[in-house]
Every structure is written in C-alpha cells, then in structure tokens.
Amino acid sequence: MALAREENRNVVGRVLRASTTGFDCGTRGSRIDERHTFGSFVKVPLSDDQALCAIGLIYAIRIDDDPLARELVMASYVDNNTLIDQRENRLVPVEICAISIGFIERGSMYQSLPPRPPMSLCEVELMSADEVYVFTRRFDYFRLVLNAKEVPSDELLAAALRYASFAYPENERYEFLVRSGRRLAELLSHDLKRLSHVLALIKP
C-alpha cells in the first residue's frame, strides 16, 4: 500500500546526497517510467512543513550493478525465461541526479540556488504541470543550466524545454519555445555554434 501511495504522488526517490547546487536520490523498481526522465522538473522539501522546496532538473539516471546482474552478464549461457523474470520482477537500484535551478518559498517561485540543501531521505517528487507552467514563464534558470559543470548542459536545457512545453496549452507551446529561443540567443550570442546546436534541439 505504501508503494502504491508513492506512485500516485509521483515520487521519484529519496535523497541520498545533496548540496545547494544539486541532489542525488535513489529508488528501487522493476522498471524506469515517466517519473525518471532526463530533463524532468522535480522538487524536494527543505523544511518539515514543506513551505520551502528546492527545484531541480534530472540530468542523469543510473542503474547500479549488483552481484546477481554481474553474474548473469558474465554467464556463458542464460535461459531467456530467467532474463525475462529478472527484468520484470526483480527490484533494481536506480540513482537519479538533479541540478538545482530554483526553489519555492511559501508559494512563490525563485529561479536561483536554494538557501540550503535537502536532508537525506527526503522524498523527491515530480513537479505538477501547473507548477512547471508557472516556473517556466521566466528564463532566469537558463544561466544555471548553461553554466553547470559535469552535466550535458545543452542537451539538458533542450530536454527541459521540450518537457516544459507539454505543461502549456497546445496553442501556447510554439510561442513558449520561440520565447525560449530568443532568450537563448541573448545568452549565447558570443557562441553561435553552441546557440545553433541548442536551437536545433528545441526546434518544434
């Protein structure tokens, strides 16, 4: 029953490690689904009353190995039924990494680094479509993504914009992407090759 409640709330996982610039969370499941998507917007509470939450973008999803998986991979022959059973029924460790791009404080959204990191074991959830819509009306978080180290920043921002576009009514999606492209053109005017690459990735 607890697992069903978590799925209904779009829980991505629980925090493993964190800083003000990002957080990693872990979960166990038999499959990766829409809750574990590159470029998804997620949130995690920074206070017990959830009046303060950090906002992040998922930039990496990793499947950790384990002794049984390693044994099956190294085996000279594995029965197909065994593989199917392991894929569909065995819980595997999944690690999800996110960079911080903003925070929510008592209902107001800010596009800057959160004041503090989340604590270990806090639940990370997908943001609702309404929350994504409100947050992405402004583009201040672009700088945080474009300047992020150790992440595929261009591909991440493009994936986030495509993801966010589906939070908009269909008649607003094209305008949203156009406005996003114009802001990118301002930020990357010194690097036309990079700008061209990112615009091609978000082109409708």
Side-chain angles (χ1 to χ4, degrees):
M1 293 298 293
L3 180 59
R5 285 196 297 271
E6 285 194 357
E7 287 179 349
N8 289 336
R9 290 174 47 235
N10 284 323
V11 174
V12 175
R14 291 183 180 273
V15 173
L16 293 169
R17 65 191 71 86
S19 69
T20 51
T21 59
F23 46 91
D24 299 344
C25 65
T27 187
R28 293 181 72 85
S30 59
R31 65 185 68 244
I32 295 178
D33 56 27
E34 63 276 1
R35 290 172 297 163
H36 312 103
T37 301
F38 179 73
S40 297
F41 289 75
V42 295
K43 63 179 181 178
V44 58
L46 303 180
S47 59
D48 291 339
D49 61 0
Q50 300 201 7
L52 181 64
C53 295
I55 296 172
L57 281 180
I58 293 178
Y59 72 86
I61 304 101
R62 302 189 181 101
I63 308 296
D64 290 337
D65 68 347
D66 57 40
L68 179 55
R70 188 178 293 275
E71 183 179 330
L72 291 173
V73 167
M74 298 298 291
S76 58
Y77 171 78
V78 180
D79 181 72
N80 193 51
N81 290 331
T82 301
L83 286 176
I84 293 173
D85 179 67
Q86 293 302 312
R87 287 174 181 163
E88 295 184 355
N89 299 320
R90 189 169 65 91
L91 297 179
V92 296
V94 181
E95 185 171 313
I96 301 100
C97 306
I99 62 166
S100 296
I101 57 168
F103 61 96
I104 305 170
E105 187 170 23
R106 303 193 182 282
S108 296
M109 292 186 176
Y110 301 89
Q111 298 192 358
S112 60
L113 292 179
R116 57 181 178 272
M119 295 296 291
S120 297
L121 301 181
C122 286
E123 289 184 338
V124 178
E125 297 182 53
L126 284 180
M127 291 176 65
S128 69
D130 288 343
E131 289 173 324
V132 172
Y133 179 87
V134 173
F135 184 79
T136 58
R137 299 296 292 172
R138 293 171 48 224
F139 305 124
D140 297 339
Y141 71 97
F142 281 15
R143 287 186 185 275
L144 289 173
V145 180
L146 292 172
N147 295 332
K149 305 298 183 185
E150 316 253 331
V151 305
S153 55
D154 295 356
E155 287 76 10
L156 176 61
L157 184 54
L161 290 173
R162 292 195 302 269
Y163 181 95
S165 70
F166 290 101
Y168 285 71
E170 190 170 351
N171 63 337
E172 294 183 28
R173 289 175 190 169
Y174 181 76
E175 179 191 358
F176 165 70
L177 292 174
V178 169
R179 289 191 298 110
S180 300
R182 287 173 179 163
R183 181 56 179 151
L184 282 167
E186 294 173 3
L187 294 173
L188 298 176
S189 59
H190 62 288
D191 190 343
L192 296 182
K193 185 175 180 180
R194 188 180 185 191
L195 172 61
S196 177
H197 174 62
V198 179
L199 291 179
L201 290 174
I202 67 170
K203 185 177 180 180

